[in-house]
Amino acid sequence: MPSVVICGAGVFGAATARQLAIDGWDVTLVEPVAAGHVRAGSGGESRLIRCSHGADRWHTRSARRGLELWRAIDPALVVEAGVAWFARREDGWEAASEVALRELGIPCERVDPTTLFPSVRTDDLAFTLYEPEAGILRARDATRTLAVQAVAAGARVVRAAARPDGPRVIAGDEVLEADHVVWACGGWLPALFGELLSLRITQQDVLFFGAGAEWETPDVPGWVDYDGAFYGLGDLDGRG
Ligand SMILES: Cc1cc2nc3c(=O)[nH]c(=O)nc-3n(C[C@H](O)[C@H](O)[C@H](O)COP(=O)(O)OP(=O)(O)OC[C@H]3O[C@@H](n4cnc5c(N)ncnc54)[C@H](O)[C@@H]3O)c2cc1C
C-alpha cells in the first residue's frame, strides 16, 4: 500500500488526504489547529465557486468538475445562487469568459442586473454576465467535511506543526516517513521553505453589512466586479 504524509488540513491538504485514503493509501494528515480553522485560507463562511476564468479553458473545465465533485460529496455544501459578473468593458475578462463558457457548453447569459439585485448601479457597466450554475461553497464546512471523510476512509490525524527533516517529517514527538510527503500549508509555506520558494502572502478584507430580507441568498446571487477587485454575495444564513 503506498503511503503519504500530508502536512496541512486546509482545503488542498484535506482533499488530497480524503481522495488518497479512499483510493486505499496509508494516509497521515498533520495539522496543528483544525481543518478550516479561522486563520486558514480555507476558513470562514463562504467562497464563490464559478466556472468563469477569462479565456483560460483549463481552469474553466476544472472549476466545473470541482462543482460536480462538491455536489457529489455533499450537496448541502453548495448554495445554488448563481454568480453575476459586472463587466466594465465590452472586450474584457467577462467577454473572454463568455466565449469560453459557451464553447464548453456551460450555461451563461447576458442579463439586466436590476432583475437580480434589490438595488444596483449600472451606469458604469458595459454588460452583466450571469452564470446560473455557479454559486457559493460553504468554505469551513466543506474543508471539515473533507477531513472527516478522510478519517472515515482510514486517514490518521496528527495534531502538530510539522517541519521538514530531509525526506522525513517531524510532527511533535513523532518522526514520520512515507513514500510521499505533501506540504499543503498555504500561507505558512514560506516560513517552512523560505529558501526554496518565493510566495507573496496578501490579505483580503471580508466585510459583513446589515441587509434587509430582500438581500437573502440564494434569491440574490453572488457578484464579481473583476476589474474593481470586489466580489460578494447576499445575506447567507442571516450573517449579512
Ligand atoms: C478572504 C478570502 C476569500 C477567498 N475567496 C475565494 C473565492 O471566492 N473562491 C475561491 O475559489 N477561492 C477563494 N479564496 C482562496 C481559497 O480560499 C484558498 O486558495 C484556499 O482555501 C487555500 O487553501 P490551502 O489548503 O492552500 O491553505 P489553508 O486553508 O491556509 O491551509 C493550510 C493549513 O496548513 C496548516 N499548517 C500551517 N503550518 C503547518 C505546519 N507547519 N504543519 C502542518 N500544518 C500546517 C494551517 O494550520 C492550515 O490549516 C479566498 C481566500 C480568502 C482568504
Side-chain angles (χ1 to χ4, degrees):
M1 178 194 298
S3 60
V4 63
V5 174
I6 298 167
C7 305
V11 72
F12 286 104
T16 307
R18 173 188 175 276
Q19 192 57 52
L20 292 179
I22 288 171
D23 290 348
W25 287 47
D26 176 359
V27 176
T28 304
L29 181 59
V30 185
E31 165 61 51
V33 190
H37 66 85
V38 71
R39 286 178 294 118
S42 311
E45 304 298 331
S46 57
R47 296 288 184 280
L48 294 183
I49 182 160
R50 37 73 185 188
C51 296
S52 290
H53 277 85
D56 181 341
R57 269 73 172 164
W58 189 89
H59 277 103
T60 305
R61 267 192 226 99
S62 174
R64 193 173 213 206
R65 176 84 178 119
L67 251 174
E68 286 167 10
L69 291 173
W70 281 118
R71 289 197 179 106
I73 287 168
D74 182 351
L77 295 172
V78 180
V79 181
E80 304 200 4
V83 169
W85 296 86
F86 296 140
R88 298 185 188 212
R89 294 175 289 142
E90 272 296 343
D91 59 350
W93 198 85
E94 297 79 7
S97 294
E98 184 180 18
V99 173
L101 292 171
R102 291 196 192 287
E103 190 182 299
L104 296 171
I106 299 172
C108 66
E109 57 179 320
R110 292 193 182 203
V111 295
D112 172 0
T114 61
T115 63
L116 297 175
F117 298 95
S119 66
V120 59
R121 191 182 136 183
T122 58
D123 58 346
D124 57 351
L125 298 183
F127 66 94
T128 298
L129 183 68
Y130 181 58
E131 230 192 285
E133 286 187 359
I136 295 149
L137 181 71
R138 295 181 180 279
R140 179 190 51 237
D141 293 351
T143 308
R144 286 187 181 167
T145 297
L146 294 174
V148 166
Q149 292 189 1
V151 171
R156 180 171 81 95
V157 174
V158 175
R159 184 158 180 189
R163 62 185 165 84
D165 178 30
R168 291 175 295 277
V169 174
I170 310 289
D173 297 337
E174 295 194 48
V175 179
L176 304 171
E177 292 186 76
D179 300 329
H180 304 272
V181 175
V182 176
W183 292 93
C185 299
W188 285 268
L189 281 171
L192 291 162
F193 299 103
E195 290 162 15
L196 295 178
L197 86 169
S198 100
L199 204 62
R200 193 167 68 92
I201 309 298
T202 60
Q203 175 182 331
Q204 290 188 34
D205 294 315
V206 182
L207 306 173
F208 292 81
F209 296 95
E214 71 274 21
W215 277 98
E216 271 175 21
T217 285
D219 290 343
V220 172
W223 55 269
V224 185
D225 176 350
Y226 187 78
D227 287 345
F230 277 103
Y231 58 95
L233 49 130
D235 182 352
L236 181 66
D237 304 335
R239 290 192 170 87

